[in-house]
């Protein structure tokens, strides 16, 4: 995400004038603060993907095919995103890993709304801890000499 953010900043600076940054709340901040917020957004997006990465890592320990692991992870992501859009499943939405993925936008408000950002960090930490541990436990029992 940092590479994408840096590329976007470079292309944006080449195509548009560089100056004060207008936030979603309508207030303006100096360019230097805008850069810091952009870095924070890149970090928030990267952290948001840690839960999915941990699930994908765990799935990869269940199969010997890399393509099957990738397909299963993408299939799971699509399924969870569909479940996240069904109103009848509102009770489980806060526990699905993509629920707070768009919370990074709150970093572009003045003042910053930390509530959903912190919920996202906690949820991704939980998914990373659980599925990272499961992947480590599963991988440590596999015979990798073959």
């Amino acid at each position: 995400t940092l590479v994408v953010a840096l590329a976007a900043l470079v292309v944006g600076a080449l195509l548009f004038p560089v100056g004060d940054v207008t936030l979603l709340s309508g207030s303006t901040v100096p360019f230097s603060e805008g850069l810091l917020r952009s870095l924070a957004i890149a970090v928030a997006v990267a952290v948001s993907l840690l839960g999915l990465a941990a699930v994908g890592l765990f799935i990869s320990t269940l199969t010997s095919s890399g393509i099957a692991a990738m397909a299963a992870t993408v299939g799971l992501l699509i399924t969870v995103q569909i479940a996240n859009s069904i109103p009848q499943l509102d009770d489980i939405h806060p526990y699905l890993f993509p629920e707070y993925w768009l919370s990074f936008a709150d970093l572009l408000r003045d003042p910053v709304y930390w509530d959903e950002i912190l919920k996202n960090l906690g949820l991704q930490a939980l998914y990373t801890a659980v599925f990272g541990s499961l992947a480590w436990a599963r991988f440590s029992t596999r015979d990798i000499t073959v």
Side-chain angles (χ1 to χ4, degrees):
T1 58
L2 187 59
V3 171
V4 172
L6 286 174
L9 284 169
V10 168
V11 171
L14 291 173
L15 296 177
F16 302 103
V18 175
D20 291 345
V21 177
T22 303
L23 301 176
L24 293 176
S25 57
S27 59
T28 304
V29 297
F31 183 72
S32 59
E33 186 177 336
L35 284 176
L36 286 174
R37 288 181 185 234
S38 296
L39 177 63
I41 288 170
V43 169
V45 170
V47 168
S48 293
L49 295 174
L50 286 178
L52 177 64
V55 171
L57 181 64
F58 172 65
I59 291 173
S60 75
T61 64
L62 300 175
T63 180
S64 59
S65 171
I67 292 175
M70 289 187 317
T73 303
V74 170
L76 176 67
L77 175 60
I78 292 169
T79 304
V80 170
Q81 290 283 47
I82 291 170
N84 210 17
S85 67
I86 298 173
Q88 290 82 359
L89 299 176
D90 278 345
D91 291 341
I92 66 166
H93 288 176
Y95 306 105
L96 300 176
F97 58 87
E99 173 67 13
Y100 302 108
W101 274 1
L102 298 180
S103 66
F104 69 87
D106 291 340
L107 291 167
L108 292 174
R109 300 185 192 284
D110 191 26
V112 174
Y113 298 158
W114 290 103
D115 188 40
E116 289 202 359
I117 295 170
L118 295 176
K119 286 180 183 177
N120 184 38
L121 292 175
L123 186 63
Q124 300 311 320
L126 179 67
Y127 269 90
T128 302
V130 169
F131 285 98
S133 297
L134 288 172
W136 176 78
R138 174 86 174 140
F139 189 70
S140 65
T141 62
R142 290 189 65 162
D143 181 15
I144 57 172
T145 59
V146 179

